[in-house]
Amino acid sequence: MTRPRRGLLPRLLLPLALAASLMLPASGQIAERAWRGMVPREASYFRFEIDEDALRGAPDQSALNTPLDAASRLFVRDGHFYQVGADLAPGTADDRRVRLFGVNLTFGGNFPDAAGAVALARRLRKLGVNAVRLHHLDSLPSDEREAPLSILSSGPYPSFNPVAVARLRHLIDALASEGIYIDLNLHVGYRFRPAVDDLPALDDGMTMPPLDAPIHVYDERLIARQIGYARGLIDGLGLRRNPALALVEIDNESSLLNAWHNGHWSEAIPSAYAPELRRRWRGWLQQRYATLAAACDAWGGCDDGPDSAARLPEPGRARGQGAQRRLSDFLEFLAATDKAYFDRLRAAVHEAGDPLVPVTGTQMTFGGAMNFDAQASMDFIDEHIYVAHPNYPGGRGDAGRWRIPVLSASADEMNRLLALGQRRDRRRPFVVSEYNEPFPNPRGSEIIPIMSLLAAQQDWDGIFFFEYSDSATPPRAPARFNLAGDWGKYVLAGPSARLFRTFGLAPLPDRIDLPLAPADRLRIGLSERADALEHDLHERLGATPELAWRGRVAADLAPAAASVRLPAPGQGPYATPDGAVRFDPVAGRLLVDTPRLWGLFGTTASARLGTEAAWMQFDAGGQGSASVWLASLDGADLGRSRHMLLSMGTLTLGASPGAAAGTAASAAAGAAAGADPGRPARIVPYDGDLRWLTLASGVAGGDAPPRATEPPTWMARLPVTLGLGARPGVLRIYPLDGTGQRRSGPRLPEVSSGPSGWTIALQRDAATSSPWYEIEITPN
């Protein structure tokens, strides 16, 4: 059978959240310095590939998980996620707090065959993953049986593809047996098809509405079908009272509030559907004011008489009498309509699945401050964030040219990550269900550790990397948003999971509650600023993102007072009160020093960085950034530990597509374009502009840069000296291979000892280079 066009995949992946406008470095010398600090001039690489199925030993985090059972059911208690415990009852003494360290699966990644499902679940367990977000289940309906990309068939919504249902059900069982929950996403990418779904036609001959047009939020026919979809999906996947079902998300990145603010309002009200929203608006006004005339009186008059009160306002065109009060009412109406939709779907999920399962509506960016009102009945708050998301100035899709801004989490974008807490409700769990610093950002390996650190010290409840794979066969070289194949990110996931899940970094002791009363939320909702929430909190309270270094930041939606006395964040460098985390915004460097975990993320330096127990000194002229974890494996503090794992995440590249293919023609084409199967793909400025980067084309005469690479894979070497404090014994350090085992052969890194401890020369040459080093100190 004909498979859905692959070109749809990247197009559907594009509407991902950018929580603020891109802040690019200035042109000229500043841009050149930023580029040189991000992209090594002449990086030296070593070949390295990870065999996820064979992985064992020190990098394997499988021990964090145990199979899910009835005692594992999740529920919300005291603003966090808990397991019900052995007594199977929530709210009792044996409840146990749980944090979710997750990844996304999308499209075909949700539907491996039986053997692939078991293998996938085991791979994810080794990474320390305990939750998988099942995303884009509904986006590409088809009748494909061999390799389904959607849970839906081509029939009227909701018609299920039986092969996809069976495969996903098997995957959920496999995940549960490995101690991994699921986050079930309902409406994500399905676009109603009037001709197929027996619905009124859209305007301008459109066959489907735009991806984020929220017609489905207010049209009764579509709401009823979504309730049917939710019930059918939960039943078909065997999720009724199933402890594997941890979370449910109703609607991805879409709401009426968002459509009002994002400039696409006309797409939300096509002519055949707008009457229903007008009917609801009229009813809302009559419920509030009794009559339309009374509404006009409250607004100070209606220019065209009482009946005109029921017209739908248009963004940016509110004029005449009572415009401000009228817009205030309309925004409250939109929030109420979003809320009614979320509430009905939540009730259906609880009835069909489990009354305990936590449910959320949509992400906070996609609706703004009044999303708190729309989601007043939801069980947790969700958000998305991306650092240096790809941009498509020449058109979107596989053939479109793309670029990435020269930005990084450890420098330019740190404040955007810190500001996430301003969208958190103190009373409910907070989850970031999508985050990434996508390939080929040279500093992309830093994002999982940095998010794990911030989430731990802010005491968030779940973080989900986007994504592990969008295919049933995961890639083996870096590609787009995937974690599989991007070994620079992969090697740092395990220690990050352990830190976050085991509370290896204590939450900041102080609470910083930002008063956000209903009147404040409405005022912010009326603003046309993209950063209206952050701007209001700063203007009204003096709140800045840097407050997150001082305490756990969240919104107080029912404050006793309109203002509070906030601690002064001070000037950088910043540090948490216990000194465990330090951030230098000028250098673009984050240092972590906990008893059993030491880390460095961001710009390197010629001076020693660290403490007596553990430090690093980087070679001059090497790669300008580092992402490093040093973890104790024996439970002792690093200053006394005799068994440690050093994980070094660096830029990972595969070969340009075609360069490593097996045919003579493709090899010749790759060579003609300057690609070499014996060398990694190249990162280049986009059209000569050093503020942007992209991949060099690997096809002869090609113009479009690829978004994926092919095996084999290389990692950039990071020549560095590691120092460890003195303790009795003999130190040996072993580079690990792609299965996590000590590499065979006589060559080991050079170790020197002295009164103050040991110094170890790492990644000086390819023969001793690895992203993993196992360290043992044995008795003399």
Side-chain angles (χ1 to χ4, degrees):
M1 294 185 180
T2 302
R3 298 188 61 181
R5 289 179 291 136
R6 288 285 184 177
L8 286 176
L9 295 180
R11 184 155 56 86
L12 285 169
L13 285 169
L14 290 171
L16 302 169
L18 282 175
S21 301
L22 292 176
M23 300 297 292
L24 294 176
S27 59
Q29 292 182 345
I30 296 176
E32 182 173 1
R33 287 198 299 270
W35 172 270
R36 299 307 178 197
M38 283 276 285
V39 183
R41 296 183 184 182
E42 295 180 1
S44 179
Y45 295 86
F46 62 95
R47 284 279 301 274
F48 197 84
E49 298 180 23
I50 293 175
D51 185 341
E52 297 181 75
D53 294 321
L55 184 68
R56 60 193 191 280
D60 183 357
Q61 304 293 332
S62 296
L64 289 174
N65 288 16
T66 57
L68 302 181
D69 58 19
S72 307
R73 286 173 66 201
L74 286 193
F75 72 103
V76 173
R77 169 182 166 178
D78 302 329
H80 299 291
F81 297 136
Y82 282 79
Q83 292 179 334
V84 296
D87 66 2
L88 307 185
T92 57
D94 71 342
D95 298 345
R96 188 171 74 90
R97 173 89 184 271
V98 173
R99 285 177 174 168
L100 301 178
F101 183 87
V103 293
N104 281 255
L105 293 176
T106 62
F107 303 108
N110 292 297
F111 309 110
D113 61 21
V118 172
L120 173 60
R122 290 174 178 167
R123 291 185 204 120
L124 296 179
R125 179 175 182 173
K126 294 174 186 179
L127 268 174
V129 166
N130 68 337
V132 167
R133 184 172 183 249
L134 303 176
H135 193 54
H136 276 299
L137 294 176
D138 62 340
S139 296
L140 298 171
S142 81
D143 300 311
E144 172 66 55
R145 301 298 180 97
E146 295 299 320
L149 298 176
S150 174
I151 201 77
L152 294 172
S153 74
S154 62
Y157 180 87
S159 301
F160 292 97
N161 181 324
V163 172
V165 171
R167 287 193 177 191
L168 184 53
R169 183 167 184 159
H170 186 74
L171 174 61
I172 292 170
D173 290 343
L175 292 170
S177 70
E178 300 294 340
I180 300 173
Y181 292 100
I182 65 162
D183 171 3
L184 185 66
N185 292 191
L186 297 180
H187 182 260
V188 178
Y190 182 75
R191 295 187 289 169
F192 293 96
R193 301 161 293 170
V196 176
D197 296 329
D198 191 25
L199 295 167
L202 297 167
D203 298 335
D204 303 322
M206 293 178 61
T207 58
M208 293 185 291
L211 189 61
D212 60 348
I215 305 167
H216 59 279
V217 169
Y218 63 86
D219 187 276
E220 280 294 329
R221 295 159 296 190
L222 303 185
I223 294 172
R225 295 183 197 190
Q226 290 174 86
I227 290 172
Y229 171 73
R231 289 172 173 164
L233 187 64
I234 289 169
D235 180 64
L237 297 177
L239 294 177
R240 182 170 180 80
R241 297 295 179 109
N242 188 330
L245 182 61
L247 309 175
V248 175
E249 297 175 36
I250 293 170
D251 196 12
N252 185 70
E253 299 185 350
S254 179
S255 71
L256 283 167
L257 285 169
N258 182 60
W260 176 263
H261 287 297
N262 71 4
H264 299 154
W265 178 246
S266 62
E267 297 174 347
I269 50 170
S271 56
Y273 295 82
E276 171 62 14
L277 193 62
R278 285 197 295 269
R279 183 192 67 80
R280 288 173 176 262
W281 171 227
R282 177 185 287 269
W284 188 90
L285 289 173
Q286 290 172 332
Q287 184 175 18
R288 169 163 287 194
Y289 294 108
T291 66
L292 296 183
C296 288
D297 289 342
W299 299 341
C302 293
D303 290 338
D304 298 326
D307 283 345
S308 68
R311 295 175 187 167
L312 300 177
E314 297 182 46
R317 295 189 179 182
R319 300 289 186 271
Q321 301 180 59
Q324 189 73 4
R325 178 66 183 273
R326 182 174 185 170
L327 280 183
S328 296
D329 277 350
F330 190 66
L331 283 176
E332 290 191 65
F333 159 72
L334 293 181
T337 307
D338 281 337
K339 182 179 185 299
Y341 164 72
F342 294 145
D343 290 354
R344 289 179 65 181
L345 267 294
R346 177 179 179 269
V349 167
H350 281 171
E351 180 183 353
D354 188 335
L356 289 184
V357 66
V359 179
T360 197
T362 195
Q363 290 71 39
M364 284 302 301
T365 295
F366 295 84
M370 292 191 71
N371 231 341
F372 283 123
D373 301 278
Q375 302 201 78
S377 304
M378 299 297 103
D379 304 290
F380 69 98
I381 296 296
D382 186 25
E383 187 58 297
H384 293 169
I385 193 164
Y386 288 80
V387 171
H389 193 287
N391 173 283
Y392 297 78
R396 303 192 293 190
D398 275 344
R401 291 178 60 81
W402 62 272
R403 61 188 185 179
I404 287 178
V406 178
L407 299 170
S408 67
S410 57
D412 325 78
E413 298 282 78
M414 178 61 75
N415 273 4
R416 285 187 55 231
L417 302 180
L418 295 173
L420 283 168
Q422 297 179 2
R423 298 173 184 271
R424 174 188 183 185
D425 176 2
R426 176 70 68 196
R427 304 166 302 171
R428 291 180 278 184
F430 186 68
V431 173
V432 180
S433 66
E434 290 184 22
Y435 72 92
N436 202 338
E437 189 169 347
F439 173 75
N441 192 309
R443 294 195 186 186
S445 58
E446 68 190 8
I447 190 62
I448 294 177
I450 287 177
M451 282 296 293
S452 301
L453 285 164
L454 297 183
Q457 68 181 21
Q458 288 295 313
D459 205 14
W460 298 342
D461 299 279
I463 52 173
F464 290 75
F465 181 85
F466 188 93
E467 59 190 339
Y468 176 77
S469 176
D470 60 7
S471 171
T473 303
R476 294 187 298 113
R480 299 180 297 274
F481 298 89
N482 292 283
L483 179 60
D486 194 338
W487 309 128
K489 290 186 175 81
Y490 184 100
V491 299
L492 298 170
S496 303
R498 181 170 292 276
L499 171 84
F500 181 62
R501 290 181 54 190
T502 66
F503 297 80
L505 179 67
L508 296 174
D510 293 336
R511 286 176 34 164
I512 299 177
D513 292 332
L514 306 175
L516 200 62
D520 299 321
R521 303 195 293 271
L522 181 57
R523 182 182 63 256
I524 295 167
L526 288 167
S527 172
E528 296 182 0
R529 294 180 62 111
D531 62 344
L533 175 60
E534 294 83 356
H535 177 75
D536 178 86
L537 293 175
H538 179 68
E539 291 293 307
R540 182 164 52 90
L541 306 173
T544 64
E546 291 88 354
L547 285 173
W549 299 119
R550 300 292 305 273
R552 292 171 284 128
V553 177
D556 181 356
L557 303 183
S563 62
V564 296
R565 184 179 181 85
L566 298 177
Q571 300 296 317
Y574 299 100
T576 56
D578 61 359
V581 181
R582 301 186 298 279
F583 176 64
D584 185 339
V586 175
R589 183 187 307 120
L590 187 72
L591 285 170
V592 183
D593 183 19
T594 72
R596 298 176 186 175
L597 191 65
W598 183 90
L600 183 153
F601 307 96
T603 304
T604 57
S606 57
R608 289 185 179 183
L609 298 171
T611 64
E612 290 184 4
W615 54 265
M616 281 188 158
Q617 187 167 15
F618 296 88
D619 288 13
Q623 184 177 356
S625 64
S627 295
V628 179
W629 278 132
L630 176 65
S632 170
L633 297 179
D634 57 8
D637 290 354
L638 287 173
R640 298 182 294 105
S641 176
R642 295 179 173 274
H643 193 195
M644 292 166 273
L645 177 67
L646 178 68
S647 303
M648 300 173 63
T650 58
L651 171 63
T652 305
L653 293 168
S656 295
T663 67
S666 61
D676 180 352
R679 301 185 64 182
R682 293 183 301 118
I683 296 175
V684 296
Y686 182 88
D687 285 349
D689 188 342
L690 293 176
R691 297 175 302 169
W692 302 88
L693 61 81
T694 192
L695 286 178
S697 175
V699 180
D703 180 55
R707 296 178 61 223
T709 58
E710 297 177 350
T713 52
W714 294 262
M715 299 184 71
R717 283 199 295 115
L718 184 62
V720 64
T721 298
L722 170 67
L724 295 173
R727 69 211 73 175
V730 177
L731 183 147
R732 291 184 176 84
I733 183 167
Y734 303 93
L736 304 185
D737 64 19
T739 69
Q741 300 303 291
R742 295 174 180 179
R743 187 180 294 163
S744 60
R747 294 289 306 277
L748 294 176
E750 180 183 337
V751 178
S752 301
S753 62
S756 60
W758 293 277
T759 59
I760 309 159
L762 297 173
Q763 296 200 357
R764 292 296 195 279
D765 55 57
T768 60
S769 290
S770 169
W772 283 316
Y773 294 91
E774 190 172 359
I775 302 168
E776 273 194 340
I777 302 173
T778 57
N780 291 321

